[in-house]
Amino acid sequence: MSASTPVRELARVHGSARLRGELRLPGDKSISHRALMLAALAVGESRIEDASDGADVRSTARIVEALGATVERVVDDGRSVTYRIVSPGADGLTEPDRILDCGNSGTSLRLICGILAGLPMTCVLDGDASLRRRPVARIIEPLRSMGALLHARRNDSLPPLTVVGHTPLRSIDIATSVPSAQVKSAILLAGLRADGRTTVREAVATRDHTERMLRARGVPVEREDAPDGRVAWTVQGGVSVHTVHERVPGDVSAAAFWLVAGAIHPDAELVLHDVGINPTRRAVIDILRSMGAEIEVRPHRDGPDDGVGEPIADLVVRSSELRATDLGPADVAAAIDEIPVLCLAATAARGTTVIRGAGELRHKESDRISGVATGLRAMGARIEIDGNDLHIEGGTALRGAATDSLDDHRLAMTFAVAGLVASGDTTIERPGSAAISYPGFFDDLERVRA
Ligand code: S3P
């Protein structure tokens, strides 16, 4: 091989007779991004304990630093990190002298746009090849209707993206065009710098971390629930964000891999400590339980959820007999990041699982509908794709095969977990992508082999 030939990574996972162990997941990715960004908007010192040390959150940390905040890594254990951030606040941030690199992270790109739209500076946001394929019209359109100036490649549809924040923002009342917490959050963050009340209406409730975290930082956020399930969120412009010291819960989207591994393996018991169980994130737990998964939820604190803090629990999962399920677009929105690993669960369930209206999965780090179907089919799964719907026939004994993560962290981890329950050896191309959201994933995979 010549020195210039790129070496492609390959992970090999062989089936395990038993799964046992206690795990602590990396900090929640969504909460970690927001904690860093909100720390940049607040004057003074913020401390974020146990933030995700995945590559995506590192991208956000570098962007916050490029905007003029001091970002110090106080402690890190290779998967989570404690940050100390000192910021001059939104009015003291400065125009960066370089392109802001969001890497693989759609959340960094979209949420930062909401912040930059109201700051007097011009910024260019870019990322890797995958990020350059991710749609941005969904944020450009609402932010433009607030008076912001944004431009992107291919007729304003794809990154790189330029934000010229020199114009004052108008408040809006808008319904999101797709169920997306990233879009909702970008509008609410821009709303903090707008002239009045900004309202975002969602047809399907998406994760509400931005809303909770703004409240925890002294910003009133109103919630209005319509009888048909629609939710409207309102912020008032001109209110300042305060600093906080907070601890990030373990990532439930990372926990999902072990919940499925434990449920579909014939001899398993896994304990997952300190997992965030925010009602807008826990759908994967509820879906698996409705399929018959034995998952015990041991909440850390009693009492009603106050809509400010993040509820946390220890989870215990044991080998289970799963039944097929039928998931619609609202379930897809609620479990958007867990659908690939739920497809794996469906291969082990009795009956045919149907997942309808999963089109948003085509716009993630890869086209996850085709990526997950290709990898699991190679292992013997029977999966039909009909437009944006999936039909997965259960009761399939998976066998080891060659799979490709397509450089998508959630596919890499889905195929690795499939390899744990399959007979023989499974290989995963480009497994390093797991570190986007779950550094240490492959160490944990070795740890749970009893
Ligand atoms: C995220 C929202 C989701 C999710 C992503 C993180 C967030 O994206 O897929 O991993 O932190 O707001 P969309 O809201 O665009 O579906």
Side-chain angles (χ1 to χ4, degrees):
M1 199 185 336
S2 81
S4 60
T5 308
V7 180
R8 293 189 73 167
E9 295 172 277
L10 192 71
R12 190 174 295 277
V13 176
H14 58 271
S16 179
R18 270 159 52 97
L19 299 182
R20 292 287 186 281
E22 303 205 9
L23 299 174
R24 209 168 284 281
L25 292 318
D28 185 275
K29 176 164 83 72
S30 291
I31 295 174
S32 304
H33 281 298
R34 289 159 170 80
L36 282 160
M37 293 182 202
L38 294 176
L41 297 184
V43 178
E45 181 182 321
S46 302
R47 193 179 171 96
I48 312 165
E49 284 176 31
D50 293 341
S52 165
D53 204 16
D56 272 7
V57 173
R58 283 178 175 234
S59 294
T60 290
R62 279 193 295 270
I63 291 172
V64 162
E65 210 165 23
L67 290 168
T70 309
V71 178
E72 188 191 339
R73 294 168 61 88
V74 182
V75 198
D76 88 68
D77 65 5
R79 55 180 67 202
S80 292
V81 53
T82 293
Y83 282 112
R84 180 176 162 270
I85 296 136
V86 181
S87 177
D91 291 319
L93 295 175
T94 47
E95 185 176 78
D97 55 8
R98 56 180 185 268
I99 288 173
L100 299 175
D101 183 3
C102 303
N104 193 242
S105 175
T107 310
S108 309
L109 178 83
R110 301 205 180 97
L111 268 60
I112 288 281
C113 278
I115 290 176
L116 297 177
L119 297 180
M121 54 179 84
T122 298
C123 296
V124 180
L125 296 144
D126 199 1
D128 66 10
S130 155
L131 196 79
R132 282 184 168 202
R133 290 191 295 268
R134 302 195 53 189
V136 291
R138 56 183 62 192
I139 44 165
I140 289 184
E141 282 160 16
L143 294 176
R144 267 189 189 157
S145 67
M146 298 177 80
L149 298 176
L150 298 98
H151 301 282
R153 195 166 59 92
R154 296 272 169 86
N155 203 16
D156 295 329
S157 67
L158 297 173
L161 185 150
T162 304
V163 190
V164 183
H166 294 276
T167 50
L169 296 182
R170 301 184 285 276
S171 54
I172 47 167
D173 184 327
I174 193 170
T176 49
S177 54
V178 279
S180 165
Q182 295 180 355
V183 173
K184 170 181 63 176
S185 299
I187 300 167
L188 291 175
L189 290 169
L192 298 179
R193 308 281 294 179
D195 63 353
R197 287 163 58 81
T198 292
T199 299
V200 186
R201 299 177 190 276
E202 307 188 270
V204 176
T206 61
R207 65 193 70 192
D208 65 0
H209 303 303
T210 304
E211 299 85 315
R212 285 172 187 255
M213 293 173 76
L214 283 172
R215 284 175 175 161
R217 287 156 178 77
V219 178
V221 183
E222 291 166 36
R223 175 184 173 132
E224 198 190 309
D225 287 273
D228 61 1
R230 284 169 193 265
V231 187
W233 298 98
T234 301
V235 292
Q236 171 74 45
V239 179
S240 42
V241 176
H242 298 166
T243 57
V244 291
H245 288 196
E246 82 174 337
R247 181 157 176 242
V248 179
D251 197 327
V252 66
S253 301
F257 296 101
W258 305 118
L259 294 178
V260 170
I264 68 176
H265 192 285
D267 184 0
E269 178 169 319
L270 299 172
V271 183
L272 310 171
H273 290 285
D274 304 340
V275 182
I277 53 157
N278 177 317
T280 60
R281 288 290 298 286
R282 58 169 289 157
V284 63
I285 301 174
D286 300 328
I287 291 169
L288 284 169
R289 276 175 152 184
S290 76
M291 295 172 77
E294 274 191 53
I295 300 174
E296 213 182 298
V297 178
R298 299 176 179 163
H300 278 205
R301 285 188 300 256
D302 291 334
D305 179 18
D306 59 3
V308 178
E310 292 283 347
I312 300 171
D314 292 342
L315 307 178
V316 184
V317 60
R318 298 187 183 88
S319 308
S320 314
E321 293 287 324
L322 297 188
R323 335 174 257 283
T325 188
D326 199 331
L327 303 179
D331 303 304
V332 171
I336 186 76
D337 293 333
E338 295 82 42
I339 296 293
V341 79
L342 284 170
C343 290
L344 169 61
T347 67
R350 191 162 20 89
T352 300
T353 292
V354 182
I355 304 175
R356 283 171 291 108
E360 270 297 300
L361 264 76
R362 297 198 187 276
H363 305 298
K364 294 296 177 185
E365 286 80 332
S366 70
D367 174 346
R368 287 184 176 158
I369 294 186
S370 97
V372 78
T374 305
L376 293 179
R377 276 180 190 148
M379 300 181 76
R382 284 163 296 181
I383 304 181
E384 293 300 322
I385 300 172
D386 176 10
N388 290 325
D389 300 347
L390 291 134
H391 297 253
I392 304 162
E393 224 178 285
T396 320
L398 298 182
R399 48 176 195 275
T403 66
D404 189 347
S405 76
L406 305 174
D407 244 340
D408 181 330
H409 54 130
R410 306 229 187 259
L411 296 189
M413 293 187 274
T414 297
F415 300 147
V417 168
L420 269 188
V421 296
S423 58
D425 279 10
T426 298
T427 56
I428 302 126
E429 278 207 48
R430 298 177 269 192
S433 54
I436 288 290
S437 60
Y438 195 159
F441 170 79
F442 283 96
D443 298 335
D444 283 353
L445 187 128
E446 288 312 315
R447 204 165 285 147
V448 298
R449 283 179 194 286

